[in-house]
C-alpha cells in the first residue's frame, strides 16, 4: 500500500472521570469527522458502569455505534485496570492511583502492543490524558507520535510545568497557610499561594496525586503535541508562555464543538433527573444552581451548613447531591425537615443535565466547587459563579473566575463555612447590585467562547493547525 493511502489511526485512552470523559469523546468525534480512524478505549469498569446506567446492564453495548452509523470510524473497546470491577475507585482514590502508577503501565503496554500488531496497515498515534504518567515509555517503545490532552486550565499547566521553579522559590511544598504573591512563573502574572493547586501544599506534597502529578508534568514536557481544553483569548499569557517550550494548541471548550453528533454517545455516569419543568415555574434569574460536580468529596458538616444557609437565604435553588459525595459510603442525609421546609423553592436531585440546567433562563447563579468542566459550562451558558473550591486544580480555577475574568465571587472567603455567612452571601449575590456587573462580564466571556469554536475562531483554527501538524509528523516519522 502506498504511504499516502495509509489511514491514520488514533488510540485514545482517557482517565475514568466525568470531567475528562466528555472532552475526550468530543475530541474523538472531531478527529473522526476529519477522516481519522479512532479506537476509543474505556476502562472495563467504567464501560460497565455506563452500560448499567443507560442500558439496563447489557454489557456488549457499543457506545459509539450511532456515531458509526453516521459515518465516523470510531471503534470502541475496553481494557482492564488493576482492580476488580466492583472496587470503589472513588472512595479508595489513593489506593487506586498507587496501583495505577505501579501496575497499569505493563497492562497498557501490552494492550497497545496488541492493537499495533493487529493492524499494520494504518499509521498509529496515541492520545492520552495528560494526567497519566505512562505514555512516554509506551510511545517510545512503539515509536508512536503522542498527543497529550490536558482537560484543565492553561494556568494549572503553567504551574505544573514550572514545578522546579516553585521548589527553588520555596513554594513547593508550599506552607498551607502562606499568603504570598508568586510573580515569577512565566505566563502567570501573579497568583497568591492561597490559590495554588492543592497538591503543591505541604499537607499534600507526599500524597499519591502530588507525586503522580509531578511525574506526569515531567513526562508531558516531552509530548509531541499538547491540546488544551481552554480558549486562547481567555488565557493568552499562559498559552504564549508555554508555546516557547512546546507545541500547544488551545482547542476548547471541547464539550461544545459545533456540528458533531455528541449526543449520540453516552458519557453520563449517572441517570439524569429532569429539572426543566420545575425551573419553568420560577422567575428568570431567580434560581441558584448548586453542585459540587462529579468527583470531589465533601463532609457532613459542609452539607449541613450549606443546607441551613440555603434555607435561611430564602432564594430558589436546584441542589445536585450525587450519590457518594461524602466519599466514605455514608449516605448524605439532609437535616430533618429540610426538604419539607424548602419544598416550594428548592429542588434536590441526584444528578441532572448541567448544561441544560445552566442554560435555563430561570437560573441566575451557580454555586460551584470550581471544577474546570463546570467552570467552562457556566461560562459558556453565561452564568455568574459563587466559588467554593475543594481541592486539586479548583483553587486556581476560582482565581481565574474571581480575579482575572471577574465573573464570580468566593463563598466565605475569610473563614469557615457557616450557615449565617452562607445565607447572607447567597442572598446578596442573587439580589445584589454586583450581579449585573458579573453578568455583563460573563456574557462577554460566553461570546468569546462561542466565537472561538466558529469557523475562523481561534479554537477551530488551532484544531485545524494541529491536524495538519499531526499528519505531517506521523508521515515524517515513517
Ligand atoms: C444492574 O446490575 C447491578 C449490579 O449487578 C444491579 O444492582 C442493578 O439493579 C442492575 N440494574 C438493572 C437495571 O438491571
Ligand atoms: C512522545 O514522543 C517523543 C518522540 O517523538 C518522545 O521523546 C516523548 O518522550 C514522548 N512523550 C510522551 C509524553 O509520550
Ligand atoms: C461536567 O461536569 C458536570 C458536573 O460534574 C456534569 O454534570 C456534566 O455532565 C459535565 N459535562 C460534561 C460535558 O462532561
Amino acid at each position: 500500500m502506498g504511504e499516502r493511502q495509509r489511514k491514520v489511526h488514533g488510540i485514545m485512552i482517557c482517565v475514568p472521570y466525568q470531567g475528562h470523559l466528555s472532552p475526550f469523546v468530543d475530541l474523538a468525534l472531531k478527529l473522526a469527522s476529519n477522516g481519522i480512524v479512532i479506537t476509543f478505549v474505556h476502562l472495563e469498569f467504567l464501560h460497565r458502569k455506563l452500560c448499567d446506567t443507560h442500558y439496563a446492564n447489557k454489557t456488549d453495548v457499543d457506545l459509539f455505534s450511532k456515531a458509526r452509523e453516521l459515518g465516523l470510524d470510531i471503534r470502541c473497546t475496553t481494557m482492564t485496570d488493576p482492580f476488580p470491577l466492583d472496587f470503589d475507585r472513588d472512595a479508595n482514590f489513593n489506593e487506586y492511583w498507587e496501583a495505577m502508577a505501579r501496575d497499569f503501565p505493563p497492562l497498557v503496554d501490552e494492550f497497545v502492543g496488541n492493537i499495533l500488531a493487529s493492524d499494520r496497515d494504518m499509521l498509529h498515534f496515541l492520545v492520552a490524558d495528560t494526567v497519566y504518567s505512562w505514555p512516554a515509555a509506551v510511545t517510545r517503545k512503539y515509536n508512536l507520535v503522542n498527543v497529550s490532552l490536558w482537560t484543565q486550565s492553561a494556568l494549572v499547566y503553567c504551574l505544573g510545568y514550572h514545578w522546579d521553579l516553585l521548589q527553588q522559590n520555596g513554594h513547593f511544598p508550599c506552607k498551607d497557610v502562606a499568603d504570598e504573591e508568586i510573580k515569577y512563573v512565566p505566563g502567570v502574572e501573579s497568583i497568591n499561594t492561597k490559590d495554588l493547586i492543592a497538591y503543591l501544599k505541604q499537607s499534600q506534597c507526599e500524597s499519591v496525586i502530588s507525586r503522580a502529578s509531578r511525574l506526569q508534568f515531567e513526562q508531558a514536557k516531552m509530548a509531541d503535541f499538547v491540546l488544551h481544553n481552554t480558549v486562547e483569548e481567555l488565557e493568552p499569557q499562559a498559552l504564549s508562555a508555554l508555546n516557547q517550550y512546546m507545541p500547544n494548541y488551545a482547542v476548547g471548550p471541547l464539550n461544545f464543538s459545533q456540528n458533531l453528533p455528541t449526543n449520540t454517545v453516552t458519557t453520563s455516569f449517572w441517570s439524569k433527573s429532569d429539572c426543566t419543568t420545575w425551573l419553568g415555574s420560577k422567575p428568570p434569574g431567580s434560581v441558584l444552581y448548586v453542585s459540587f460536580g462529579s468527583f470531589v468529596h465533601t463532609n457532613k458538616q459542609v452539607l449541613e451548613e450549606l443546607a441551613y444557609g440555603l434555607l435561611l437565604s430564602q432564594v430558589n435553588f436546584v441542589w445536585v447531591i450525587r450519590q457518594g459525595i461524602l466519599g466514605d459510603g455514608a449516605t448524605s442525609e439532609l437535616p430533618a425537615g429540610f426538604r419539607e421546609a424548602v419544598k416550594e423553592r428548592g429542588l434536590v436531585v441526584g444528578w441532572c443535565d448541567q448544561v441544560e440546567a445552566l442554560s435555563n433562563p430561570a437560573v441566575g447563579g451557580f454555586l460551584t466547587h470550581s471544577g474546570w468542566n463546570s467552570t467552562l459550562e457556566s461560562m459558556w451558558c453565561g452564568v455568574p459563579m459563587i466559588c467554593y473550591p475543594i481541592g486539586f486544580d479548583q483553587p486556581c480555577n476560582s482565581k481565574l473566575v474571581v480575579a482575572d475574568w471577574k465573573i464570580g465571587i468566593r463563598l466565605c472567603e475569610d473563614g469557615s463555612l457557616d450557615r449565617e455567612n452562607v445565607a447572607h452571601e447567597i442572598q446578596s449575590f442573587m439580589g445584589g447590585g454586583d450581579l449585573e456587573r458579573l453578568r455583563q462580564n460573563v456574557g462577554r466571556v460566553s461570546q468569546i467562547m462561542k466565537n472561538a469554536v466558529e469557523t475562523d475562531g481561534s479554537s477551530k483554527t488551532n484544531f485545524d493547525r494541529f491536524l495538519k501538524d499531526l499528519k505531517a509528523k506521523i508521515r515524517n516519522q515513517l
Side-chain angles (χ1 to χ4, degrees):
M1 196 183 296
E3 291 307 341
R4 288 281 140 200
Q5 280 83 50
R6 288 175 74 184
K7 282 192 170 161
V8 176
H9 171 229
I11 304 168
M12 298 186 66
I13 307 183
C14 176
V15 288
Y17 299 110
Q18 183 77 77
H20 294 244
L21 178 58
S22 311
F24 252 81
V25 166
D26 189 283
L27 180 62
L29 295 169
K30 251 185 153 112
L31 289 167
S33 66
N34 281 281
I36 291 181
V37 182
I38 295 293
T39 295
F40 195 94
V41 185
H42 265 304
L43 296 184
E44 181 68 30
F45 88 91
L46 187 62
H47 175 77
R48 295 285 179 105
K49 182 168 168 158
L50 293 168
C51 291
D52 281 5
T53 306
H54 301 281
Y55 298 94
N57 286 348
K58 268 179 68 187
T59 53
D60 58 349
V61 181
D62 178 342
L63 296 170
F64 285 89
S65 62
K66 291 207 188 90
R68 221 172 17 257
E69 281 162 24
L70 296 171
L72 304 183
D73 192 349
I74 307 182
R75 302 133 191 220
C76 190
T77 185
T78 63
M79 68 171 292
T80 49
D81 66 9
F83 284 96
L85 292 175
D86 59 359
F87 178 77
D88 189 340
R89 289 156 177 80
D90 287 350
N92 302 289
F93 181 79
N94 287 333
E95 191 186 341
Y96 183 58
W97 281 99
E98 229 26 287
M100 285 298 271
R102 193 182 54 231
D103 304 330
F104 192 62
L107 296 177
V108 83
D109 181 324
E110 188 189 340
F111 179 86
V112 170
N114 286 341
I115 293 188
L116 301 182
S118 71
D119 194 325
R120 296 186 189 280
D121 286 340
M122 293 196 287
L123 301 170
H124 309 278
F125 67 100
L126 179 84
V127 185
D129 199 301
T130 310
V131 310
Y132 277 130
S133 47
W134 51 262
V138 170
T139 54
R140 222 172 286 135
K141 173 169 171 185
Y142 296 109
N143 190 28
L144 284 178
V145 169
N146 52 70
V147 180
S148 199
L149 174 55
W150 177 245
T151 62
Q152 300 168 32
S153 61
L155 165 61
V156 173
Y157 199 98
C158 275
L159 294 170
Y161 191 95
H162 293 289
W163 202 298
D164 290 341
L165 203 51
L166 292 164
Q167 188 165 33
Q168 282 159 29
N169 286 275
H171 290 120
F172 176 78
C174 181
K175 288 196 205 72
D176 289 300
V177 292
D179 181 359
E180 291 162 30
E181 287 298 317
I182 295 176
K183 290 177 182 271
Y184 53 79
V185 176
V188 182
E189 203 174 283
S190 173
I191 185 166
N192 192 285
T193 46
K194 289 192 256 183
D195 298 327
L196 276 185
I197 318 172
Y199 49 74
L200 292 169
K201 298 287 180 79
Q202 203 148 34
S203 55
Q204 294 192 25
C205 68
E206 291 300 327
S207 66
V208 185
I209 198 70
S210 187
R211 281 181 282 128
S213 301
R214 183 169 200 174
L215 185 60
Q216 154 231 307
F217 279 115
E218 276 312 309
Q219 312 261 337
K221 284 182 182 174
M222 298 176 293
D224 292 324
F225 302 97
V226 181
L227 300 181
H228 293 266
N229 189 14
T230 188
V231 176
E232 214 168 273
E233 288 84 348
L234 293 175
E235 298 195 86
Q237 286 153 332
L239 288 160
S240 68
L242 288 170
N243 280 338
Q244 295 169 11
Y245 312 110
M246 57 204 298
N248 291 280
Y249 305 80
V251 296
L254 274 174
N255 302 343
F256 298 101
S257 299
Q258 308 299 290
N259 308 319
L260 290 178
T262 316
N263 54 9
T264 64
V265 188
T266 300
T267 54
S268 177
F269 288 16
W270 301 277
S271 43
K272 301 169 182 167
S273 298
D274 177 28
C275 304
T276 318
T277 316
W278 188 89
L279 285 171
S281 70
K282 298 290 176 262
S286 73
V287 177
L288 181 68
Y289 177 81
V290 185
S291 174
F292 285 175
S294 56
F295 172 59
V296 289
H297 298 138
T298 183
N299 58 46
K300 278 206 161 111
Q301 197 203 339
V302 167
L303 283 191
E304 200 170 294
E305 295 306 311
L306 269 182
Y308 283 111
L310 285 165
L311 186 67
L312 295 170
S313 75
Q314 301 295 333
V315 306
N316 296 333
F317 64 89
V318 170
W319 190 3
V320 180
I321 307 181
R322 70 170 204 280
Q323 204 195 339
I325 192 165
L326 294 179
D328 48 10
T331 47
S332 36
E333 272 172 43
L334 291 169
F338 175 77
R339 285 171 198 264
E340 184 57 25
V342 298
K343 76 173 188 298
E344 297 302 325
R345 63 180 175 88
L347 178 68
V348 180
V349 296
W351 198 244
C352 74
D353 188 321
Q354 185 158 290
V355 172
E356 195 175 277
L358 291 172
S359 334
N360 193 296
V363 171
F366 182 6
L367 170 49
T368 172
H369 70 307
S370 295
W372 186 241
N373 159 50
S374 290
T375 303
L376 289 177
E377 292 186 341
S378 200
M379 286 156 70
W380 179 271
C381 298
V383 177
M385 286 166 259
I386 311 183
C387 303
Y388 183 67
I390 295 179
F392 302 97
D393 59 327
Q394 297 151 19
C396 299
N397 302 339
S398 51
K399 183 258 184 196
L400 288 169
V401 165
V402 176
D404 294 12
W405 302 323
K406 302 183 172 55
I407 55 176
I409 61 165
R410 293 173 200 266
L411 182 68
C412 297
E413 192 176 1
D414 304 310
S416 64
L417 195 73
D418 83 73
R419 58 193 69 179
E420 304 288 339
N421 283 339
V422 172
H424 174 73
E425 288 179 16
I426 287 178
Q427 214 165 36
S428 74
F429 176 80
M430 291 300 283
D434 241 14
L435 195 58
E436 205 34 57
R437 184 181 53 87
L438 297 175
R439 228 175 242 155
Q440 281 171 11
N441 293 345
V442 77
R444 272 197 293 274
V445 164
S446 170
Q447 199 51 54
I448 288 173
M449 293 170 98
K450 288 177 178 165
N451 292 344
V453 297
E454 294 286 331
T455 321
D456 300 334
S458 62
S459 291
K460 172 77 172 68
T461 315
N462 287 340
F463 183 79
D464 293 343
R465 186 166 55 88
F466 159 67
L467 211 57
K468 194 165 141 267
D469 296 350
L470 172 73
K471 288 181 181 165
K473 174 109 192 156
I474 291 174
R475 304 218 181 263
N476 283 340
Q477 188 121 329
L478 290 176

